[in-house]
Amino acid sequence: MDFLKTILIIILLFPLLVGLFYIKVLFDEKRFKKRYEAYLKKMNGSCLLFYNNRKNSIAFIEKVLAPALNFNIKMIPVTRSQIKVGPESEFFAKMLESVETRNGFPYLAKILDEKVFMKSVNNQFYNVMNGNKPLEPLLDRINTFYSSTPTVSIA
C-alpha cells in the first residue's frame, strides 16, 4: 500500500515539477533577452569578425588579414561552436546561433541600432588563402561591409 501511495504522489507531483521547470526556463530566456538587448545597445557600431579554429585559418587571419584590417574590428575565435572570450561569449554565441544562411566561417558582424548584421566571406576568404588570389578584393569586401549600412539583420 505504501508503494502505491508513493507512486500516486510522484504522479501528482510530476506535472508540478515540469511546470516549475518550464517557468524557470521562460524566466531565464526573458532575463537573457533583456541582457542581450542591453549588450547590443551598448555595443552599437561595433564590428566583429568570427573565425574558426582551423590551423591554417588562424595563421592566415593572425599573420595576414588582421594586420591589414582596421584596428577597431574585434576578432573572435570560435572553437567547435564554443566562444571563450570572456563574459561576452554568450552574446556572441547568440549572434552565431541566429545566422539563417550558414555559408561558413569567417563571418563579418556589425551591430547597429540594437540589430546584428552578419555576412559570410567564406568562399572569397579560402580562395585568397588557398588559391593565392590577391588579398585586396577580400579586404575591400570586408571594409565595404563595415563601412556601409547593411540591410538584413539577424537579431
Side-chain angles (χ1 to χ4, degrees):
M1 215 41 160
D2 287 335
F3 178 73
L4 289 175
K5 283 183 182 179
T6 304
I7 295 295
L8 185 59
I9 290 171
I10 291 172
I11 290 172
L12 293 173
L13 289 179
F14 184 72
L16 178 65
L17 292 174
V18 170
L20 290 174
F21 179 75
Y22 181 72
I23 290 170
K24 182 190 178 329
V25 168
L26 288 178
F27 177 76
D28 289 347
E29 286 177 3
K30 188 174 181 177
R31 188 174 61 182
F32 176 79
K33 184 178 179 185
K34 283 184 180 183
R35 289 178 38 241
Y36 184 60
E37 289 169 353
Y39 176 78
L40 293 179
K41 189 173 190 174
K42 178 180 96 174
M43 297 302 291
N44 191 46
S46 293
C47 300
L48 314 167
L49 189 144
F50 294 92
Y51 62 96
N52 62 3
N53 65 332
R54 289 176 55 179
K55 288 181 183 179
N56 57 353
S57 297
I58 292 171
F60 184 79
I61 284 176
E62 290 176 353
K63 292 178 182 162
V64 178
L65 191 60
L69 291 174
N70 191 325
F71 67 92
N72 68 353
I73 298 171
K74 184 169 184 165
M75 309 297 267
I76 303 165
V78 179
T79 305
R80 296 183 189 176
S81 300
Q82 294 181 351
I83 304 169
K84 296 181 179 174
V85 288
E88 303 171 316
S89 296
E90 63 183 335
F91 303 129
F92 295 146
K94 173 69 173 165
M95 290 176 200
L96 284 176
E97 177 186 295
S98 301
V99 173
E100 290 180 10
T101 306
R102 298 191 186 276
N103 294 330
F105 288 96
Y107 285 101
L108 310 176
K110 186 172 184 177
I111 302 170
L112 285 175
D113 300 324
E114 300 177 40
K115 292 185 175 107
V116 180
F117 300 88
M118 291 189 88
K119 179 177 192 165
S120 170
V121 290
N122 179 279
N123 288 339
Q124 192 171 16
F125 174 81
Y126 284 103
N127 284 337
V128 170
M129 187 178 79
N130 296 329
N132 295 324
K133 305 271 184 186
L135 181 64
E136 288 74 25
L138 175 61
L139 290 174
D140 289 344
R141 187 173 178 197
I142 292 170
N143 289 327
T144 299
F145 175 82
Y146 289 131
S147 64
S148 66
T149 303
T151 57
V152 179
S153 72
I154 61 163

